[in-house]
């Protein structure tokens, strides 16, 4: 919509227009050589600087800290907002949060857990930020304010693993060794600038991203927390005839009373912020020789319909963190950062289209009631483009408010009544929309869990369907909304409960838990077949050569015994980094893990640290195990990829 939308927290957020990159000169040396210089005066002082301490920036800093990468976070505000903003956390994001030292358990609600080991959740953004800050505190992060750091001469090493509140990214300058970041802050009433030298700059500073800029009374009432009576009201307003300043707390209370039709005794307007609805994806996520990277809302902006913004951003961070870790440890080539863009940008593009469709579906309700927002937008355009130069501002406002008056009449008791033929027809259409589920949706299991990477840090299968096709996803899954688990390359590893086959181990866990949340580790999944063991041995050896942590998971059928699993000891010797597990199929589906996900048990599956499948093959398709596996790991690490 062309209207700016205030949201009233009881809870406006804003987005700038256009996405551009600042043209910067190219570096004289590749990223890896400068980061590997170590100790010299030319080396960057900070490995990573993250701009923005919203959920995406905090999630990214937590992942990097867990993987041993030190970073500094710049946050322009002096305090974290209490505005609810985003509130829906989808299945995939909750799966990621399971490995944030129990974060998912802190926010979980009771939902179905058939296709995932965790449920979706409704949880206001400010509450999520509070929990993320606690998790960061647990891994050694501190929140600091300008008066605690002193002047601009604070040593960079003293800034590691700190969130610098009240620090706004004000300048970016490429050097031969990295990026010189300027951060402006108020120190005792005087504006000063702190300089930070870093190897990588990650922009997670939202829709009005400074990093991106430098480097390139009809309303919707949303219940965020019914138990605590927390709601967000979103209403359109049309500048310049209406201005943000017109929406005082008192005016907002009056809007709420008019919309709900009665006067609640305990309305408390906590926060009011403006925002403009956008649907944009940055042309480039990565720039400046792979040194400046956009994440979350800095890279993409969606309409607030479906909860895609924060969820897509957290998943961006999850995709990026392990790649940064391998890069900064000298294992992967700098061009691995390009795979972040090639994998995540198609997902953002698809989610943009989906959120727009969902927004249009949501608008079908007011349109059915005679409140078509496209009419208001058209009148607003005419007022601004044609009448604005000849009609005084006050008269323009009268014209606009007259239009709103006509709109409000459409939902009056007189018209919207079963006794009124027009009202009766509209109510019948409304019931039909709601009964058929054609209005606003929040859960999209097919899209939340079923997206697949077609090219990037993986080895695509030799078939057309392995390529990421947003249209294929839309037509094959959107019709039913059902998630169809897949073990195809690029897919998220399908969930099934398994049990360790070891006398010393007890309990049941998800296949997703085979992938460590505390270190960068690849997982090789095989069935207990001699030829699969042999290929797994070759993969363990080559992983060692690349200095990659890896382990084998031997997937045994239900009913297997510990004594049978002991065969893995001799088959995988001398390696001991393996686990034998027994499948626990759902009671309603008596199929093996391999059968459920339409893959032969002769398959050997390589899973990345972000739980996505990087390679799938069968032993008889491999001609030279060591040569082929070495090529696979080289491709995943971008070691044979040309520089961009």
């Amino acid at each position: 919509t062309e209207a700016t939308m205030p949201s009233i927290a009881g809870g406006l957020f804003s987005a700038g227009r256009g996405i551009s990159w600042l043209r910067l000169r190219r570096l004289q040396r590749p990223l890896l050589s400068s980061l590997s210089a170590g100790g010299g005066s030319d080396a960057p002082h900070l490995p990573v600087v993250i701009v923005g301490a919203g959920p995406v920036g905090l999630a990214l800093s937590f992942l990097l800290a867990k993987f041993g990468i030190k970073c500094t976070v710049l946050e322009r505000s002096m305090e974290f907002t209490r505005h609810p903003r985003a509130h829906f956390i989808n299945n995939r994001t909750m799966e990621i949060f399971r490995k944030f030292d129990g974060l998912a358990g802190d926010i979980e609600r009771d939902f179905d857990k058939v296709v995932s080991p965790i449920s979706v959740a409704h949880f206001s953004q400010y509450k999520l930020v509070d929990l993320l800050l606690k998790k960061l505190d647990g891994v050694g992060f501190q929140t600091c304010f300008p008066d605690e750091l002193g002047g601009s001469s604070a040593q960079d090493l003293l800034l590691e693993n700190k969130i610098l509140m009240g620090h706004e990214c004000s300048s970016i300058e490429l050097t031969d060794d990295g990026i010189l970041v300027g951060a402006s802050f108020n120190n005792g009433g005087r504006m000063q600038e702190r300089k930070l030298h870093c190897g990588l700059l990650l922009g997670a500073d939202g829709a009005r991203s400074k990093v991106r800029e430098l480097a390139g009374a009809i309303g919707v009432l949303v219940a965020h927390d019914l138990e605590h009576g927390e709601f967000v009201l979103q209403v359109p307003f049309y500048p310049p005839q209406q201005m943000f300043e017109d929406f005082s707390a008192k005016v907002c209370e009056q809007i709420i009373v008019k919309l709900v039709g009665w006067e609640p005794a305990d309305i408390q307007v906590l926060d009011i912020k403006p925002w403009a609805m956008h649907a944009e994806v940055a042309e480039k996520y990565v720039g400046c020789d792979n040194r400046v990277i956009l994440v979350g809302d800095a890279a993409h902006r969606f309409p607030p319909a479906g909860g895609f913004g924060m969820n897509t951003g957290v998943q961006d961070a999850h995709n990026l963190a392990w790649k940064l870790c391998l890069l900064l440890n000298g294992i992967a080539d700098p061009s691995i950062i390009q795979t972040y863009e090639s994998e995540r940008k198609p997902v953002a593009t698809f989610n943009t289209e989906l959120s727009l469709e969902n927004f249009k579906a949501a608008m079908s309700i007011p349109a059915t009631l005679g409140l078509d927002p496209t009419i208001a937008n058209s009148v607003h355009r005419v007022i601004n483009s044609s009448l604005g130069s000849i009609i005084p501002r006050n008269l323009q406002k009268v014209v606009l408010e007259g239009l709103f008056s006509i709109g409000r009449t459409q939902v009056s008791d007189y018209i919207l009544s079963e006794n009124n033929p027009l009202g009766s027809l509209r109510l019948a259409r409304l019931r039909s929309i709601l009964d058929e589920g054609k209005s606003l949706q929040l859960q999209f299991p097919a899209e939340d869990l079923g997206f697949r990477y077609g090219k990037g840090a993986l080895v695509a299968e030799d078939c057309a369907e392995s390529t990421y096709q947003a249209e294929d996803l839309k037509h094959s899954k959107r019709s039913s909304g059902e998630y169809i688990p897949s073990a195809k390359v690029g897919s998220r590893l399908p969930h099934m409960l398994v049990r360790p086959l070891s006398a010393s181990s007890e309990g049941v866990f998800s296949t997703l838990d085979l992938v460590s949340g505390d270190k960068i580790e690849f997982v090789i999944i095989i069935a207990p077949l001699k030829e699969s063991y042999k290929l797994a041995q070759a993969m363990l050896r080559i992983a060692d050569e690349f200095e990659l942590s890896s382990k084998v998971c031997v997937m045994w059928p239900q009913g297997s015994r510990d004594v049978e699993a002991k065969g893995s000891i001799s088959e995988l010797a001398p390696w001991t980094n393996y686990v034998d597990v027994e499948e626990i199929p759902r009671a309603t589906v008596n199929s093996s893990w391999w059968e459920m996900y339409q893959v032969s048990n002769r398959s050997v599956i390589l899973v990345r640290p972000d739980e996505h499948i990087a390679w799938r093959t069968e032993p008889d398709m491999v001609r030279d195990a060591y040569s082929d596996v070495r090529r696979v790991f080289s491709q995943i690490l971008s070691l044979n990829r040309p520089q961009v």
Side-chain angles (χ1 to χ4, degrees):
T1 178
E2 297 172 9
T4 304
M5 301 282 288
S7 67
I8 305 164
L12 290 179
F13 32 102
S14 137
R17 299 184 181 274
I19 296 179
S20 61
W21 280 89
L22 185 67
R23 304 282 182 191
L24 299 176
R25 64 185 177 86
R26 296 180 63 83
L27 294 169
Q28 297 177 3
R29 287 194 274 170
L31 177 61
L32 189 56
S33 65
S34 65
L35 289 177
S36 302
S41 59
D42 291 335
H45 297 296
L46 295 164
V48 176
V49 168
I50 298 173
V51 181
V56 174
L58 295 179
L60 186 53
S61 57
F62 178 83
L63 286 168
L64 292 178
K66 289 274 282 188
F67 297 153
I69 303 298
K70 296 185 181 298
C71 61
T72 299
V73 181
L74 304 179
E75 171 53 49
R76 63 187 172 196
S77 301
M78 285 292 287
E79 60 183 16
F80 293 99
T81 180
R82 309 308 294 172
H83 192 79
R85 297 191 177 183
H87 70 101
F88 181 72
I89 307 177
N90 70 21
N91 253 144
R92 184 61 188 136
T93 302
M94 285 292 283
E95 288 179 350
I96 294 169
F97 284 165
R98 289 177 73 237
K99 298 182 180 179
F100 275 48
D101 292 352
L103 175 60
D106 295 338
I107 60 182
E108 187 178 13
R109 298 290 187 269
D110 293 326
F111 279 86
D112 188 22
K113 300 180 185 177
V114 172
V115 298
S116 174
I118 197 75
S119 67
V120 300
H122 290 270
F123 201 72
S124 291
Q125 180 171 315
Y126 76 90
K127 296 178 182 177
L128 175 60
V129 167
D130 287 345
L131 290 180
L132 283 168
L133 289 171
K134 291 179 181 177
K135 300 301 178 186
L136 281 164
D137 182 66
V139 293
F141 251 83
Q142 293 178 296
T143 301
C144 301
F145 296 88
D147 59 350
E148 298 172 332
L149 294 170
S152 58
S153 60
Q155 293 297 310
D156 289 341
L157 290 177
L158 298 178
L159 303 178
E160 289 180 345
N161 285 4
K162 288 184 173 60
I163 302 171
L164 308 187
M165 303 298 292
H167 284 68
E168 181 172 8
C169 178
S170 53
S171 64
I172 299 173
E173 178 184 347
L174 267 70
T175 71
D176 290 342
D177 305 298
I179 295 178
L180 192 62
V181 180
S184 59
F185 63 98
N186 189 318
N187 186 25
R190 292 177 56 243
M191 293 302 298
Q192 292 183 266
E193 185 177 65
R194 191 186 310 282
K195 295 289 187 180
L196 299 92
H197 206 184
C198 64
L200 293 164
L201 178 64
L202 311 182
D205 46 339
R208 290 179 293 178
S209 172
K210 188 70 173 180
V211 174
R212 183 180 65 218
E213 176 188 332
L214 292 169
I218 298 166
V220 178
L221 193 63
V222 182
H224 276 210
D225 190 333
L226 284 172
E227 183 179 349
H228 295 93
E230 182 178 271
F231 293 78
V232 171
L233 175 66
Q234 299 173 356
V235 297
F237 75 100
Y238 295 82
Q241 291 79 24
Q242 297 173 312
M243 300 303 292
F244 170 56
E245 293 75 17
D246 297 336
F247 292 85
S248 64
K250 186 66 176 176
V251 169
C252 291
E253 287 182 14
Q254 294 170 353
I255 292 173
I256 294 170
V257 169
K258 288 180 181 178
L259 285 170
V260 301
W262 54 285
E263 187 168 356
D266 55 351
I267 295 177
Q268 182 182 9
V269 176
L270 301 177
D271 197 17
I272 308 168
K273 288 184 180 295
W275 59 272
M277 193 190 85
H278 287 277
E280 296 178 314
V281 178
E283 181 180 352
K284 298 290 293 180
Y285 280 24
V286 180
C288 308
D289 279 347
N290 302 319
R291 289 188 181 272
V292 179
I293 306 165
L294 302 180
V295 189
D297 285 356
H300 42 68
R301 292 185 279 184
F302 308 127
F308 292 101
M310 183 184 70
N311 289 293
T312 306
V314 170
Q315 293 159 32
D316 288 346
H318 193 230
N319 179 284
L320 180 61
W322 69 273
K323 298 173 182 178
L324 291 178
C325 182
L326 292 180
L327 169 62
L328 292 169
N329 282 293
I331 296 173
D333 187 84
S335 59
I336 195 173
I337 300 304
Q338 293 292 329
T339 70
Y340 160 68
E341 177 177 313
S342 63
E343 291 178 354
R344 294 302 302 168
K345 185 178 176 181
V347 175
T349 300
F350 179 75
N351 286 348
T352 301
E353 297 172 1
L354 185 57
S355 60
L356 281 171
E357 290 179 20
N358 202 31
F359 181 80
K360 291 175 183 176
M363 290 300 100
S364 66
I365 288 183
T368 298
L369 298 176
L371 300 170
D372 192 339
T374 60
I375 297 176
N377 290 336
S378 299
V379 173
H380 186 232
R381 257 199 317 271
V382 170
I383 292 175
N384 283 342
S385 62
S386 304
L387 303 179
S389 59
I390 57 176
I391 297 180
R393 178 70 55 81
N394 289 342
L395 189 53
Q396 294 177 33
K397 189 171 182 178
V398 169
V399 172
L400 196 62
E401 289 178 348
L403 176 66
F404 292 156
S405 167
I406 296 172
R408 285 191 289 270
T409 303
Q410 304 303 307
V411 291
S412 66
D413 292 339
Y414 172 71
I415 291 183
L416 200 61
S417 165
E418 295 287 1
N419 298 323
N420 184 308
L422 177 60
S424 178
L425 177 62
R426 288 176 175 176
L427 289 172
R429 288 175 178 170
L430 177 61
R431 281 191 290 269
S432 175
I433 290 172
L434 296 176
D435 290 344
E436 295 175 18
K438 293 181 178 179
S439 182
L440 180 70
Q441 288 181 254
L442 281 178
Q443 295 195 53
F444 294 87
E447 291 76 14
D448 295 346
L449 299 174
F451 64 86
R452 186 172 74 248
Y453 301 138
K455 61 179 181 178
L458 46 79
V459 180
E461 297 169 276
D462 295 329
C463 57
E465 65 179 359
S466 68
T467 303
Y468 183 95
Q469 293 288 342
E471 287 302 313
D472 288 349
L473 183 62
K474 186 184 300 182
H475 294 307
S476 66
K477 297 179 181 176
R478 278 295 311 288
S479 56
S480 65
E482 179 185 357
Y483 163 60
I484 304 172
S486 169
K488 294 175 182 175
V489 170
S491 300
R492 157 248 194 208
L493 178 67
H495 157 69
M496 176 187 271
L497 292 177
V498 294
R499 179 187 295 114
L501 279 175
S502 170
S504 60
S505 300
E506 296 182 359
V508 171
F509 56 88
S510 168
T511 47
L512 293 170
D513 296 324
L514 294 168
V515 183
S516 173
D518 297 322
K519 61 180 178 179
I520 302 300
E521 184 176 64
F522 287 79
V523 175
I524 303 155
I525 300 178
I526 63 171
L529 303 174
K530 195 168 190 65
E531 57 270 28
S532 298
Y533 278 121
K534 187 176 179 180
L535 181 54
Q537 267 198 333
M539 295 173 75
L540 289 172
R541 177 175 295 180
I542 299 302
D544 281 355
E545 288 183 12
F546 281 96
E547 300 181 6
L548 292 171
S549 177
S550 64
K551 72 179 176 188
V552 173
C553 167
V554 186
M555 191 81 71
W556 292 78
Q558 188 177 26
S560 300
R561 296 173 299 169
D562 180 36
V563 65
E564 295 176 298
K566 289 182 178 178
S568 298
I569 298 175
S570 58
E571 295 289 352
L572 291 172
W575 283 275
T576 59
N577 43 326
Y578 69 89
V579 57
D580 291 290
V581 299
E582 173 195 4
E583 303 168 350
I584 308 178
R586 298 198 307 269
T588 56
V589 182
N590 189 22
S591 301
S592 72
W593 187 84
W594 308 93
E595 291 168 337
M596 281 183 64
Y597 305 124
Q598 303 172 35
V599 60
S600 166
N601 69 344
R602 293 174 52 80
S603 296
V604 175
I605 296 174
L606 179 63
V607 184
R608 308 189 317 191
D610 63 352
E611 301 163 7
H612 280 258
I613 296 172
W615 185 47
R616 188 181 79 181
T617 191
E618 294 184 15
D620 57 6
M621 297 172 62
V622 177
R623 286 178 290 186
D624 182 328
Y626 293 103
S627 175
D628 287 0
V629 171
R630 188 175 286 107
R631 174 185 56 81
V632 166
F633 277 112
S634 294
Q635 186 165 333
I636 292 169
L637 300 174
S638 297
L639 296 177
N640 55 2
R641 193 185 305 272
Q643 291 282 341
V644 176

